[in-house]
Amino acid sequence: MSKQEVMICHQLEDNLRHAIEKCPHDKIFILTDEHTRTFCLPLIEKMPFLRNAEQICIGVEDLHKNLETLAYVWTELSSKGGTRHSLMINLGGGMVTDLGGFAAATFKRGIQMINIPTTLLAMVDASVGGKTGINFNGLKNEIGSFAPADSVIIDCEFLKTLDHKNLLSGYAEMLKHGLISNTRHWSELITFNMENINFKHLQKLVGESVEVKENIVEQDPFEKGIRKALNFGHTIGHAFESFSLEIEKPVLHGYAVAWGMVCELYYSHQKTGFPKDKLYQTIQFIKNNYGKLEFTCKDYDRLYEFMKHDKKNVASGIVNFTLLGEIGDIRINQTASREDIFDMLDFYSETMG
Ligand code: GLY
């Protein structure tokens, strides 16, 4: 998989011109959703080199991350004169970069693309590393491909208008990058004031966070080994996310991951010796900022069912985890029994209560 250029942007127009110049093209398409068309597109559409760009707009949120929307994007590309030499700019959150990335990867067997993520979650995770796709048959990201954008342009100016919950959701992935990288970065993250955000400082942390992800993806682009580190917190996190949907109290992805990290850090402490002081310092930050997901021990079996169906598992019924022996000491391919999982959920209920 080719390496994508990730730019932490200070001058959006200059960075975008540079990215476009690297991709010789006959036509430019800009993909937005209904939100980014209103709030973000005006920041770029008047740039002289985008004057003739075609616009494609899709519905917001995960609900539209499906085959129908994908077919709509293919149809638009085709009817508006897209060729295999066209260039697609995905301007939006993870849904736009995932679906737009997959549309670009498959149209005419693949056209060039540039990601301009507009949410924190998309900046530090979805837009970087080449995973693209759509939901299918009720399963998240069931159909997709590894297709890195030619360039990713990260402009933290977009974050100034992002709501607090979505900032926290993206920040959970940054916290994960801190835990899987080094103590200095982790420590800076858990002492950052999320109540009164210093955007200049956040931009620096975003840059470091993206570097952690890039470094891992470069070593293992197709998730055969070390890329599984990026799944830390996600085994239990995805179960929390699915459970919250089922009880019709949906939570943002990053909140579920933050709570998942509480459980998986505890299990790391039990199984691979993750230090107790760092466990409790991280939990305190999560408690202060994310609150708690409500469930009782009657829900444990349902949560366990969700975990057993996680696509990260290697064999059916064996729940796979990435654990930590220390900050940055990654232990992939760990497993847990039903009893271990219930113990994690007990710990979560007692500690977060
Ligand atoms: N979101 C995890 C990964 O890109 O591997």
Side-chain angles (χ1 to χ4, degrees):
M1 195 163 81
S2 57
K3 188 172 172 348
Q4 55 190 182
E5 184 179 14
V6 182
M7 295 175 235
I8 303 294
C9 175
H10 298 282
Q11 255 302 330
L12 184 56
E13 185 159 348
D14 291 347
N15 289 115
L16 187 51
R17 186 187 306 104
H18 166 78
I20 290 175
E21 278 167 8
K22 280 198 334 176
C23 298
H25 57 271
D26 55 5
K27 210 176 220 327
I28 298 180
F29 290 86
I30 305 174
L31 181 72
T32 59
D33 63 27
E34 284 156 5
H35 280 163
T36 57
R37 179 179 58 185
T38 307
F39 299 110
C40 306
L41 187 61
L43 298 180
I44 67 166
E45 67 183 337
K46 297 275 167 359
M47 293 177 185
F49 46 86
L50 292 179
R51 209 176 299 123
N52 298 319
E54 297 283 357
Q55 296 175 13
I56 306 175
C57 180
I58 57 178
V60 283
E61 293 175 358
D62 226 48
L63 170 73
H64 293 99
K65 193 176 167 183
N66 57 22
L67 194 53
E68 201 184 337
T69 311
L70 178 66
Y72 170 73
V73 176
W74 283 330
T75 307
E76 287 286 282
L77 286 169
S78 199
S79 65
K80 290 178 168 164
T83 74
R84 66 184 315 179
H85 305 292
S86 297
L87 166 67
M88 175 110 132
I89 299 175
N90 297 314
L91 178 69
M95 189 276 199
V96 169
T97 60
D98 277 12
L99 186 143
F102 190 53
T106 45
F107 182 72
K108 309 270 184 197
R109 297 206 180 89
I111 61 172
Q112 307 172 96
M113 72 170 137
I114 295 170
N115 281 340
I116 309 180
T118 56
T119 64
L120 186 55
L121 192 66
M123 287 179 190
V124 297
D125 193 16
S127 70
V128 177
K131 284 188 180 175
T132 69
I134 56 164
N135 304 333
F136 186 67
N137 253 351
L139 298 167
K140 279 173 75 78
N141 301 322
E142 181 72 349
I143 306 293
S145 68
F146 286 98
D150 292 272
S151 298
V152 182
I153 301 175
I154 295 176
D155 187 349
C156 290
E157 277 299 306
F158 288 117
L159 300 181
K160 291 186 177 161
T161 50
L162 194 66
D163 61 275
H164 194 63
K165 280 197 155 180
N166 272 294
L167 276 171
L168 275 169
S169 181
Y171 199 83
E173 296 286 355
M174 293 173 64
L175 189 56
K176 176 195 79 184
H177 291 162
L179 285 161
I180 63 172
S181 60
N182 63 74
T183 305
R184 186 205 53 75
H185 185 44
W186 163 82
S187 168
E188 206 172 334
L189 287 164
I190 61 158
T191 48
F192 185 74
N193 184 353
M194 284 304 286
E195 289 303 319
N196 185 13
I197 293 177
N198 175 333
F199 281 92
K200 204 156 173 236
H201 189 186
L202 182 61
Q203 166 138 334
K204 173 188 136 348
L205 291 172
V206 167
E208 289 173 8
S209 197
V210 171
E211 259 176 49
V212 172
K213 177 155 184 184
E214 278 188 284
N215 180 25
I216 287 176
V217 172
E218 211 175 324
Q219 293 174 57
D220 175 25
F222 301 110
E223 202 171 304
K224 303 275 184 242
I226 194 65
R227 186 166 181 166
K228 293 180 190 172
L230 298 172
N231 296 333
F232 180 69
H234 283 63
T235 303
I236 303 238
H238 279 153
F240 284 160
E241 205 175 352
S242 304
F243 175 76
S244 77
L245 270 178
E246 192 169 79
I247 61 168
E248 294 180 4
K249 290 183 183 162
V251 297
L252 292 176
H253 174 73
Y255 278 66
V257 169
W259 297 323
M261 286 194 292
V262 171
C263 298
E264 295 182 23
L265 273 181
Y266 166 73
Y267 192 46
S268 295
H269 171 65
Q270 298 290 95
K271 195 163 176 196
T272 52
F274 187 83
K276 200 169 180 174
D277 55 342
K278 290 172 181 151
L279 165 70
Y280 281 98
Q281 285 174 66
T282 312
I283 290 175
Q284 197 55 50
F285 179 85
I286 293 173
K287 237 172 124 163
N288 290 348
N289 289 285
Y290 296 86
K292 183 188 180 221
L293 178 73
E294 293 300 334
F295 58 85
T296 71
C297 52
K298 290 197 190 103
D299 302 311
Y300 285 11
D301 268 311
R302 186 68 191 124
L303 288 163
Y304 180 51
E305 279 306 308
F306 282 124
M307 288 173 220
K308 282 200 294 187
H309 291 102
D310 193 301
K311 67 172 164 309
K312 296 187 292 296
N313 296 333
V314 277
S316 88
I318 309 280
V319 183
N320 198 283
F321 285 88
T322 293
L323 300 180
L324 299 173
E326 232 303 352
I327 289 175
D329 177 7
I330 297 156
R331 313 283 180 90
I332 60 170
N333 299 332
Q334 304 290 319
T335 55
S337 65
R338 179 175 179 270
E339 197 185 359
D340 294 328
I341 289 167
F342 281 27
D343 185 39
M344 286 183 236
L345 296 173
D346 276 342
F347 174 81
Y348 178 91
S349 302
E350 282 155 24
T351 317
M352 300 293 282

